[in-house]
Structure formats: C-alpha cells, structure tokens
Amino acid sequence: MVHLNLRHSTRSIYLGLACVSLTLHLLLALFCLSVLQSACVLPTSSSSSVPRIDPVSHASSSSSSAPSVGGTIDHAGNDSFSEDLEKAKKLIGVGKVSKKESSRSKLEELFRHPLYNLPRPKLQEDDWLLRLKTDAEAEETEQEEKSNRDSVTSDSDWQSASEEEGYDKVTWTRDEETHPPWLRFHLGISRWELYDRKDLNLAQLTHYLATQRILGAVQKKGGTQLKLLVSFPNYGQALLKPMRQSRDAETDENLFYFSDFERHNAEIAAFHLDRVLGFNRIPPVVGRLINVTTQIREVTTDERLSRTFFTSPAGNVCFYGKCEYYCSVEHPVCGRPHALEVSLATMLPDLSLAPRRSWRSPWRRSYSRTKLAHWEKDAAYCDTVKETPPYNRGTRLVDLIDMAVLDFLMSPFMFSTPNMEKLSTELSEKNKALLLVIFFARFGRHSQDEPSILAPLVQCCRIRRSTLLRLRLLSRPDFRLSDVMRESLAQDPLTAVAPLLSEPHLSALDRRLATVLAAVQSCQDRNEDVVYNDLDEHDDQQLGENP
C-alpha cells in the first residue's frame, strides 16, 4: 500500500516538472520573438540616415516610364509576352541610378556647353521644308473640302466608316497644339537640321512611337533587307526594323560589307550618336517591345507578308517576308514566343509634299568582291571631287565628311555615305538643302575598325570647325563619348531589357574618336587650310576653348 502511494506521488512530481518546463520554454519563445520583431523595425525618424524603400512601389512607379505594348492581348501564349513585359518594367526600376550617381549628368553638361547652344540666323520663310498655308490658301482649301463634303450623301456614314478603319477623327487646325507629334516634326524641319534638340516635341514624338497602338503593318517596298511600315490611329507612320540577332553577336570578319544583318539596336544608337555629335540629321528612332501576333500578323493587309508567318519547332511565332537578302525560312524573324524587340524610325514627309533628290557619294564602294572603287586607287581623288557639283560650292563637302566621321565611329560595317539625300528640290536649287542620311545601321564589330571609311577626311583634309571642337570636347574625361552615349541610350525603353550597346562597343567609340582626331592632326601637320570655319562670329573664349 505504501509502495503504491509512493508511485502516485512520483508521477505527480514528474508531471509538475514537465508543466513548469513547458511554461518556461513558451515564455522564452515569446521573449525571443518580441526581440526579433523590434530589431527588424526601421527607424521612423525623419533624421534617420537610412531611407526606407518599398521595393514594390518603387518598381511600379519606375515602370510608368515603360512603353505600353498597345492594347490588351488575349491570345494563347500571351502569358509569356506579359511576363516579358513585366520583366522589362521591373528592370526599369532596378536599373535606376542612385541619387548620388545622377547628381551630375555628363549628357546634360554636354548639352549646356556653348558649342551645343550656338545661335542660329533667324529662319526665313524659304528656309523651312514645309509651311502652313496662308489665310487665303486655307480659305480656298476649306471651300474645296466643303464642296466635297456636300457631295457626300451621309456625313454620319462617312464618320462611321472612318471609325471602323480605326483612325482617329481629325481635329487638326492651324493651331500647332492640335497637331500630332509626327506632323509637328515635319513642320520643324529646316535647312539647318531635322529637329531642334531643345524642342519639347522630340520627347513627345519618341514617346508616341513607343506607345501608340499599331493599326497596320505592311512590308516596305525596296531595299535589300526586311523592313515594315507601321501605321498609327492618328495617321502617323514609322519604319520598323526587327531584332535579327543578339546585341553581342559580332559579324564574321570574313564577310563583305554588304553581307550582314541590319541591327535594330544600331538604328537606335545611330540616332543617339548623331544627336550627341550635334548633327541632328537622323530622324528620331526609338525601341519598342511588340507582340508579333497581335501587332503584325493580325493587322497586316500585306498578303505576301502574311504568307511567310509560321510557328517554329520551339513554339515561337516567326515570319521572313520578301526581300533581296535574308528573307527566307532559313533567316526568320521570331518572337519569344510572341515578344519581339524592334526599332521604330520616324518617317520623313511624303515625297509628294517634299521631293528629295538622291546623291550617290563619291566615296561609295564598288560592292564587288574583286574590283576596287576609284577612290581606293587614287590618293588625289578628292581634287576631282572638289571640282564636281554639288561638292564644288557651299558646305556639301564638309557635310559629307561629317557623315564619314559618324560612320567611322559606328562600325566597320556601317555605311551611310552611299545613301545621302537632299530634302527638297526647291531648297537644293537655292543651295540650302539639308543633307540627311538613310542608314543601314549594324554596329557589327567592336574589335575591328575600318580606316577606309575616313577616306573623305583623309584625302580632302577638310573638316568643320564646329565638328572638330565637339569631337575634342567628347574626348575629354569630363565628358567622354562612351559615357554620354551610355547615358543617352539609357533613355530608350528597350534599355529596360538589356543595354542597347555593350561595353566593348562603347569603348570602341572612344578608340575610334581618338583615331579621327589623329587623322585631323596629321592633316594639319601637312596642310594649312584644313579647318572650315563655320564659327566666324564666335571666339575661342565663347566656345570654351583655349585660344
């Protein structure tokens, strides 16, 4: 009996000890949890040196600068496209430079320099490519349009048809504020430049290209490679070039000059480089991520183009179009599976409004695998060019040399000089035509330079003073061409996906710039009259140069 009572008391003791131990463990756990929570709370004081950042709100607010894809997508495989877009938006937030890094912008400093703010002579009426009609001309046109409207039996039917086509109702007036960005761009073209860098419409134009709904897409006729002409609801158009290969893919060194893909990222980079050099002769270009299915295949009215669409074994939507080079099933343009990077270039005014005359460059290549061009065999070739119209007067020769410098900086397989155009017959007759360039942009090799591109500069030993001073400015460490180009390209929407130019390509720009300056110095060592002074009214001190 005593033994049984002892066993019951022992059990009670063990049970009590277990309860006490469990209670102590629970109290210890609660204490630790409260300590950890208090340690993880960021200080709320405004004087705190550690700012509180909400990564979700930061990414979403930053993503507002990403381009719209243009409409709701509700097709199979579009989940992947949405994921690509969301990735791009997040990358925009992640890619933002810190406040400390952005406190000094080399690009902004460059554009504040006197060399980029030279006063222009006041433009006269005949200096503009296009002009608005006078009141009398506008009244006459309105009467004609009213007569045409009266001949239509039902105005409401006409508006309905217009809405079915997808175009916006035209509400443009003589007031510039009512004009779409592409029209303002056309009206801003002058004898000096395609656009004014300070014009707020430039930012509106590139945003418009990156966000407007694509209403139609057809293959552009002519040319050697695949290009599409896309239309927007406000009657604007753009030239689309698709991504054909990765940004880092280098051109085979054994290929001839004409045997390489045109690159969408190079088209964008060409516009930015032209702007950084202060030429402003390349139409604005912007990158965009589009849906191959909903924004090309389903809106095209081009039967030849639509017949080339197919789905690859990897499940990607592809097409190849019809053209002279690289338009075959062996060289398709493919989405991933629907998403495709493209460049969109602003179209120039229609030829019926602004006729253009093409001039073949004297330094054009033979495009032969065996024959050399005349300039490649004659060191004194420039003497002949100087006596040949239109290079025997005005600024046409130094215009061409500007473009040779631009070409050389880009790539050994990037030649614009055979494709230079004057803007209009009217302006060219007065020797006031603007020289602009139709580019086949490639940025093919960063590890190789092509000195022959500089033949116009080397053989003629002539260069604009303003061009030379800007090149010297961009060679200085406080600006540096590669740095300002990196900063400028970061403004393009496709930078959210990946840098438009790799670091080796950016470094190549600095190397090639040094080569250009060395060529000019060599000319100055041999000749006296090398610099064409287009800055007579400005002294060295005004331009920030040493006397």
Side-chain angles (χ1 to χ4, degrees):
M1 185 68 178
V2 174
H3 180 70
L4 183 61
N5 290 335
L6 181 61
R7 186 164 58 182
H8 281 298
S9 62
T10 302
R11 287 179 179 175
S12 298
I13 293 172
Y14 286 159
L15 184 61
L17 289 174
C19 291
V20 171
S21 177
L22 181 61
T23 302
L24 290 174
H25 277 84
L26 288 174
L27 290 174
L28 182 62
L30 291 173
F31 174 75
C32 291
L33 183 61
S34 63
V35 170
L36 288 174
Q37 286 179 336
S38 62
C40 292
V41 175
L42 291 174
T44 57
S45 173
S46 61
S47 62
S48 173
S49 60
V50 181
R52 182 174 182 178
I53 301 176
D54 182 352
V56 176
S57 62
H58 177 67
S60 60
S61 62
S62 300
S63 67
S64 63
S65 62
S68 168
V69 185
T72 305
I73 303 169
D74 55 359
H75 294 260
N78 292 323
D79 290 341
S80 175
F81 181 72
S82 300
E83 290 173 4
D84 288 339
L85 184 61
E86 288 305 315
K87 179 181 178 182
K89 289 181 178 180
K90 290 178 181 178
L91 282 171
I92 291 177
V94 173
K96 292 288 184 181
V97 294
S98 67
K99 190 173 183 179
K100 182 178 179 181
E101 293 174 334
S102 63
S103 59
R104 181 179 180 275
S105 166
K106 288 188 176 182
L107 186 64
E108 291 178 2
E109 291 292 330
L110 180 73
F111 286 152
R112 278 198 288 263
H113 193 277
L115 280 169
Y116 288 83
N117 295 278
L118 299 172
R120 295 278 194 192
K122 185 176 180 180
L123 292 173
Q124 304 301 315
E125 184 177 348
D126 61 352
D127 288 333
W128 298 99
L129 176 63
L130 301 174
R131 64 179 179 84
L132 291 174
K133 295 179 179 179
T134 63
D135 291 338
E137 292 171 332
E139 184 177 351
E140 181 179 351
T141 302
E142 288 177 2
Q143 290 177 353
E144 291 179 0
E145 291 178 350
K146 182 179 179 181
S147 176
N148 292 334
R149 285 197 299 268
D150 292 342
S151 65
V152 179
T153 56
S154 175
D155 185 60
S156 60
D157 290 342
W158 178 84
Q159 290 183 359
S160 175
S162 177
E163 291 175 1
E164 287 178 6
E165 292 173 358
Y167 288 99
D168 297 336
K169 185 178 180 180
V170 176
T171 57
W172 311 338
T173 67
R174 292 173 57 83
D175 184 1
E176 182 181 350
E177 296 300 319
T178 67
H179 301 159
W182 63 265
L183 181 55
R184 272 178 272 167
F185 166 68
H186 288 176
L187 293 173
I189 298 174
S190 73
R191 59 173 286 197
W192 300 110
E193 54 195 1
L194 277 179
Y195 58 86
D196 182 353
R197 175 180 51 80
K198 299 177 184 179
D199 189 355
L200 296 178
N201 184 59
L202 184 61
Q204 296 173 3
L205 178 62
T206 53
H207 177 75
Y208 146 81
L209 291 174
T211 58
Q212 277 283 305
R213 179 170 62 91
I214 294 177
L215 189 62
V218 296
Q219 185 169 347
K220 189 177 186 302
K221 296 180 180 179
T224 59
Q225 296 198 28
L226 178 64
K227 298 179 285 291
L228 302 182
L229 192 63
V230 298
S231 302
F232 304 112
N234 63 5
Y235 296 90
Q237 291 183 319
L239 186 66
L240 181 152
K241 292 190 178 181
M243 181 176 184
R244 303 299 298 262
Q245 54 190 359
S246 67
R247 290 164 170 73
D248 298 326
E250 278 211 276
T251 302
D252 190 324
E253 60 183 3
N254 294 311
L255 288 180
F256 284 92
Y257 306 114
F258 46 83
S259 301
D260 189 24
F261 286 122
E262 295 174 9
R263 303 184 183 224
H264 75 301
N265 61 312
E267 296 283 331
I268 303 166
F271 161 64
H272 284 264
L273 181 58
D274 172 75
R275 189 171 66 112
V276 164
L277 293 175
F279 295 153
N280 301 341
R281 293 175 183 166
I282 297 180
V285 186
V286 69
R288 181 167 175 172
L289 193 66
I290 68 167
N291 186 297
V292 174
T293 301
T294 61
Q295 294 178 297
I296 297 181
R297 184 175 187 174
E298 294 182 358
V299 299
T300 186
T301 56
D302 189 335
E303 294 184 4
R304 292 193 313 159
L305 177 65
S306 63
R307 284 197 294 264
T308 67
F309 276 86
F310 65 94
T311 301
S312 72
N316 297 323
V317 178
C318 307
F319 66 99
Y320 53 87
K322 300 288 185 182
C323 63
E324 189 173 343
Y325 293 104
Y326 306 118
C327 283
S328 65
V329 71
E330 292 84 7
H331 301 95
V333 174
C334 295
R336 298 183 180 177
H338 298 263
L340 175 67
E341 291 184 31
V342 301
S343 66
L344 291 174
T346 311
M347 297 295 292
L348 294 172
D350 190 86
L351 289 172
S352 62
L353 297 175
R356 296 185 288 277
R357 182 176 180 181
S358 297
W359 293 90
R360 300 190 68 188
S361 169
W363 282 271
R364 61 186 177 274
R365 298 190 178 272
S366 66
Y367 291 98
S368 169
R369 297 176 177 86
T370 57
K371 296 180 180 180
L372 296 177
H374 191 185
W375 61 268
E376 293 178 287
K377 300 179 288 185
D378 183 4
Y381 177 74
C382 188
D383 294 338
T384 304
V385 175
K386 290 177 180 178
E387 298 175 356
T388 306
Y391 308 103
N392 60 343
R393 57 191 175 94
T395 62
R396 184 62 61 214
L397 182 60
V398 287
D399 287 341
L400 190 147
I401 291 173
D402 281 348
M403 296 300 98
V405 170
L406 180 63
D407 285 352
F408 177 75
L409 291 174
M410 288 191 192
S411 164
F413 299 123
M414 166 64 207
F415 297 100
S416 65
T417 46
N419 301 280
M420 289 191 271
E421 293 187 326
K422 291 185 175 182
L423 269 180
S424 80
T425 304
E426 178 185 1
L427 292 181
S428 66
E429 288 175 352
K430 300 177 181 179
N431 197 30
K432 294 182 178 181
L434 172 70
L435 186 70
L436 58 105
V437 185
I438 305 301
F439 274 96
F440 302 121
R442 293 186 171 97
F443 267 98
R445 291 183 63 81
H446 56 73
S447 58
Q448 177 184 338
D449 299 341
E450 181 52 63
S452 65
I453 300 178
L454 285 179
L457 170 62
V458 173
Q459 293 182 356
C460 297
C461 275
R462 196 76 167 147
I463 191 170
R464 263 193 178 91
R465 184 183 177 211
S466 59
T467 299
L468 178 59
L469 293 181
R470 287 189 184 115
L471 293 177
R472 288 175 177 170
L473 188 69
L474 291 165
S475 69
R476 287 166 37 179
D478 49 338
F479 292 106
R480 191 176 285 112
L481 179 57
S482 59
D483 290 342
V484 294
M485 272 294 288
R486 184 186 299 105
E487 187 178 342
S488 184
L489 288 170
Q491 300 170 358
D492 189 88
L494 280 186
T495 305
V497 180
L500 285 164
L501 288 183
S502 65
E503 286 302 315
H505 277 299
L506 292 170
S507 298
L509 288 173
D510 294 330
R511 182 182 71 242
R512 291 166 186 159
L513 176 56
T515 301
V516 173
L517 292 175
V520 175
Q521 185 60 53
S522 177
C523 283
Q524 291 179 317
D525 293 341
R526 303 190 313 267
N527 303 276
E528 293 183 359
D529 189 21
V530 173
V531 178
Y532 171 79
N533 193 0
D534 59 333
L535 303 173
D536 287 327
E537 301 177 359
H538 310 278
D539 56 34
D540 293 318
Q541 188 174 2
Q542 285 179 311
L543 301 175
E545 287 288 308
N546 295 323

